[in-house]
Amino acid sequence: MTRRDGVQSRVRARGAAGLIASWGVVGTPTLAHTAEPSWLPQRAEAPAIERNGFVPAAPTWSVVGTLAPSYTTNALFRRDDRRRDVFFEPDVSLRLDGKLTPDLSYRLYTRSSFEAFARERLGDVAIARFGGRLTQNVGGWRLTGNYENRYDFDGIYRNLGFISHDVSGSVGRDFTVGNATLSPLLLLTYRFSDLAEARRYRFDALLGMEFKLTEKWSIISTPFFEAFWFTDGLNAGRRDQIYSASLGLKYNITDSISLTTSGAYEIRSSNVPLRHYRDLTIGPKLDFAF
Amino acid sequence: MRRWSAIGALVSLACAAGIAGANPQDRADRPERSLRLDHDSMRNDYREDRLKIPAHPLFEEQRPAQPPKAKGSSKRDGAASR
């Protein structure tokens, strides 16, 4: 072997060792089996998840919610005999969020909400929910699968009305255009329930919009279209469509608390004429997260 | 005899209550009642997901130190997701 051959072989060995060392950080299972030069210090093989550079962080607990006193023109969703009233609606969730991989996150949650009317007590209703979701980020799109166990009560947690199991899938994404953030969301749900009349498919197409005016102030709107196909019991064959538009002015009190004054207008049409309704609801909403 | 009459009256009342609870209109209406809560939940989720969860000192201490981020890892930090 000539002196040049020896120098070239040492350069190749160093290059190979450097390459192997760098691959040890990014890592692939196949490259982990490549033999390293014997003159390098031997190291214990890192777990696969560390070779890929991701260590799941501890999951995060949070409490988020909304407190909303509101006025409505149709408390009971009736086609005729619409009743105006004010109501109070708290909606609070306890969440546990975590990541399994950089692009796969999960959430476990429990959620409680109710409506308490001033006069139309027949409209009082409460829901308790327990659920979990997995969200996969694919090129900026969020693909989510969700399961929710739900308890609907008549009154404020007075009498259990029915129990449901909602299974849903959704796709959504955020687009930023200048000071505007657009968040389209498509959601499909099927409800299994011990009440046959509650079983149905539900499709939602929602477009969340936020237009930043200043650091603290923004305009938000969440129009959506919703369609129902009831499958069982006395509601079998019933098909409803709901069109909703909303507009609000949001003030960020802090990064974790905001106040929004908004109005929402809804129209429902149905192949059951009695189910048609129109409703306007306005009022402030205090959102918080801690 | 009086005892059997009383029992019969109680059974009749229970049957009547059962029939009232099974009112067809009531069964068809029941899923309606939480519709506003469901719609407000969707709108609430949109606004709440834009809030920042404050850092909790206790949880920060419990989190293990992260290794240097590898090339191509997600830019999004934190665990909150919609």
Side-chain angles (χ1 to χ4, degrees):
Chain A
M1 184 160 85
T2 65
R3 188 175 175 182
R4 176 182 282 182
D5 290 339
V7 168
Q8 285 176 346
S9 68
R10 281 198 295 275
V11 167
R12 278 196 293 272
R14 285 196 198 113
L19 204 56
I20 290 166
S22 67
W23 277 336
V25 174
V26 177
T28 66
T30 53
L31 289 175
H33 296 293
T34 304
E36 294 185 47
S38 59
W39 49 267
L40 275 181
Q42 299 301 307
R43 56 185 174 178
E45 187 172 284
I49 200 156
E50 286 186 10
R51 274 184 270 125
N52 289 327
F54 176 77
V55 175
T60 305
W61 288 97
S62 61
V63 175
V64 298
T66 299
L67 304 176
S70 302
Y71 167 82
T72 177
T73 60
N74 195 346
L76 304 178
F77 292 130
R78 288 181 178 164
R79 183 187 64 181
D80 312 310
D81 187 27
R82 285 179 285 155
R83 309 278 183 90
R84 299 165 186 259
D85 202 358
V86 293
F87 64 96
F88 178 62
E89 184 181 297
D91 177 6
V92 182
S93 300
L94 172 65
R95 296 174 175 174
L96 180 65
D97 288 295
K99 283 194 172 187
L100 300 174
T101 72
D103 293 320
L104 183 63
S105 57
Y106 67 89
R107 171 178 292 172
L108 302 175
Y109 64 91
T110 177
R111 187 172 194 169
S112 170
S113 54
F114 67 80
E115 282 177 349
F117 284 86
R119 290 198 307 267
E120 301 297 331
R121 305 313 300 267
L122 199 61
D124 289 355
V125 65
I127 306 173
R129 297 182 253 193
F130 309 88
R133 67 168 63 166
L134 281 174
T135 299
Q136 175 73 46
N137 189 309
V138 180
W141 292 90
R142 293 182 297 271
L143 307 179
T144 300
N146 196 96
Y147 164 76
E148 185 172 275
N149 179 209
R150 175 187 165 124
Y151 298 80
D152 279 61
F153 293 85
D154 297 329
I156 311 302
Y157 300 108
R158 275 180 41 218
N159 303 310
L160 180 61
F162 59 96
I163 300 172
S164 303
H165 305 273
D166 289 356
V167 179
S168 64
S170 70
V171 57
R173 180 173 181 151
D174 291 341
F175 296 90
T176 301
V177 181
N179 286 345
T181 302
L182 306 177
S183 305
L185 177 74
L186 299 178
L187 172 72
L188 182 64
T189 307
Y190 185 74
R191 172 164 292 173
F192 302 87
S193 178
D194 60 353
L195 178 69
E197 286 71 18
R199 297 175 200 148
R200 78 318 185 246
Y201 288 95
R202 169 181 153 185
F203 169 76
D204 292 276
L206 179 145
L207 178 60
M209 295 182 282
E210 181 171 1
F211 304 94
K212 270 195 170 303
L213 301 174
T214 68
E215 193 61 38
K216 292 279 191 181
W217 293 92
S218 56
I219 293 173
I220 62 167
S221 178
T222 49
F224 67 80
F225 166 75
E226 192 169 73
F228 294 87
W229 296 266
F230 290 84
T231 56
D232 294 303
L234 299 170
N235 281 329
R238 175 181 151 192
R239 297 186 305 275
D240 297 349
Q241 298 84 41
I242 296 178
Y243 305 85
S244 174
S246 68
L247 189 64
L249 184 64
K250 185 172 86 164
Y251 177 72
N252 292 321
I253 300 171
T254 70
D255 287 343
S256 308
I257 303 174
S258 67
L259 180 65
T260 304
T261 56
S262 68
Y265 187 71
E266 285 188 6
I267 296 174
R268 180 168 72 185
S269 64
S270 174
N271 62 344
V272 178
L274 190 64
R275 299 297 176 187
H276 294 194
Y277 77 76
R278 288 177 289 136
D279 176 47
L280 173 67
T281 302
I282 56 177
K285 299 181 191 304
L286 181 69
D287 304 309
F288 56 88
F290 64 89
Chain B
M1 189 63 185
R2 281 185 186 173
R3 182 185 295 176
W4 287 113
S5 299
I7 291 172
L10 280 173
V11 169
S12 300
L13 272 172
C15 289
I19 290 168
N23 181 351
Q25 188 63 39
D26 184 58
R27 289 176 64 86
D29 286 346
R30 191 153 271 173
E32 303 280 290
R33 293 176 187 166
S34 56
L35 191 61
R36 183 182 284 108
L37 281 176
D38 288 337
H39 291 168
D40 287 343
S41 292
M42 279 203 302
R43 297 187 193 107
N44 294 345
D45 284 345
Y46 177 72
R47 295 190 316 276
E48 288 165 7
D49 285 341
R50 268 145 185 75
L51 298 175
K52 186 178 174 184
I53 310 293
H56 297 281
L58 180 63
F59 294 131
E60 286 296 328
E61 286 172 11
Q62 289 177 346
R63 281 202 187 106
Q66 291 281 349
K69 285 194 175 168
K71 188 178 176 183
S73 66
S74 171
K75 286 183 184 175
R76 240 181 160 176
D77 213 350
S81 67
R82 210 160 23 124

